[in-house]
Amino acid sequence: MADDSRSTDNDAFGSYAAIGDSFTEGVGDPGPDGTFVGWADRFAVLLADQVPEHDAFRYANLAVRGRLLDQIVAEQVPRAKELAPDLVTFCAGGNDIIRPGTDPDEVAERFERAVADLTSAVGTVMVTTGFDTRGVTLLKHLRGKIATYNGHVRAIADRYDCPVLDLWSLKSVQDRRAWDDDRLHLSPEGHTRVALRAAQVLGLPVPADPDQPWPPVPPRGTLEVRRDDIHWAREYLVPWIGRRLRGESSGDHVEAKRPDLMPL
């Protein structure tokens, strides 16, 4: 695992804003009230645990599913600058990269301009790499593009002194149990492991190892795997393709679940 941990003053993060797409909104990790929880909400709890009892920790989540990089830059970055929190997590570009014909070098140039804008106005900006998609049926052919984009993200982080949440190196999320039934979003346990890793990056104590091995499971037979693949294609792949053909997004008419810095 790449070591991106940094020693920090735990009192430094009294406020946190998350910006991004479905990953940061928390899709795949449903909460009891119908909204999604997700790694950013779980990470916020870990951050709040480090704040002295007499201080209020405040958190905003501006992420909206389906958003492309330019939409995040137009809609969320200005709001994050206005809120001016101590910490921002910035995960964007993934929905651009998976689109046919996109150039990861060009996407990275736009990402860098946004990072430069953010770092001039807020405290710490944590950036996020893409996952290793070798085991993701729909995305494994994009592994090279994602790796190229990840290289740019790391270089940008070096130039702007940003901590890096390296999802490519988080081996535990390569287990199928870390993913939702749609195979595109993390499961609750997957989101939990990402939150733990984010805390580690900032040098915070964590209650569990995000790379802790999963319990062994019985091997799956060919028939079971094929049945699961057919169910996945019918329930998730076909609707996903349909939305692309119609020019629709899963985030149409969806608003940020936590648009202001509020106490947890």
Side-chain angles (χ1 to χ4, degrees), residues 16 23-24 26 29 37-50 59 61 87 89 126 128 131 164-167 170 172-173 178 186-211:
Y16 162 44
F23 168 62
T24 302
D29 185 8
V37 182
W39 73 271
D41 288 19
R42 296 176 184 276
F43 177 43
V45 172
L46 295 173
L47 289 168
D49 286 344
Q50 305 305 310
Y59 166 55
N61 190 316
L87 173 67
T89 55
M126 178 189 289
T128 308
F131 293 97
V164 180
L165 175 54
D166 186 358
L167 302 175
L170 187 58
S172 62
V173 296
L186 294 175
S187 66
E189 179 63 21
H191 278 285
T192 296
R193 288 177 182 247
V194 170
L196 292 169
R197 180 59 186 142
Q200 282 185 335
V201 169
L202 295 181
L204 303 180
V206 295
D209 179 6
D211 252 331

Side-chain angles (χ1 to χ4, degrees), residues 19-98:
I19 60 179
D21 52 31
S22 59
F23 168 62
T24 302
E25 184 187 348
V27 174
D29 185 8
D33 62 352
T35 62
F36 292 107
V37 182
W39 73 271
D41 288 19
R42 296 176 184 276
F43 177 43
V45 172
L46 295 173
L47 289 168
D49 286 344
Q50 305 305 310
V51 174
E53 292 185 5
H54 60 275
D55 293 335
F57 176 83
R58 297 176 300 142
Y59 166 55
N61 190 316
L62 310 177
V64 177
R65 70 199 77 168
R67 290 300 193 260
L68 298 169
L69 174 58
D70 287 348
Q71 293 173 311
I72 293 170
V73 171
E75 300 168 5
Q76 300 176 31
V77 169
R79 180 57 177 160
K81 291 171 60 180
E82 181 182 359
L83 294 173
D86 297 327
L87 173 67
V88 169
T89 55
F90 184 23
C91 180
N95 287 328
D96 298 73
I97 295 299
I98 67 175

Side-chain angles (χ1 to χ4, degrees), residues 68 93-107 110 142 145:
L68 298 169
N95 287 328
D96 298 73
I97 295 299
I98 67 175
R99 294 200 165 199
T102 53
D103 179 357
D105 300 333
E106 188 275 331
V107 176
R110 290 186 279 125
L142 298 175
K145 275 179 74 173

Side-chain angles (χ1 to χ4, degrees), residues 130-141:
F131 293 97
D132 185 347
T133 59
R134 74 176 81 183
V136 183
T137 304
L138 191 62
L139 303 177
K140 61 183 178 182
H141 67 288

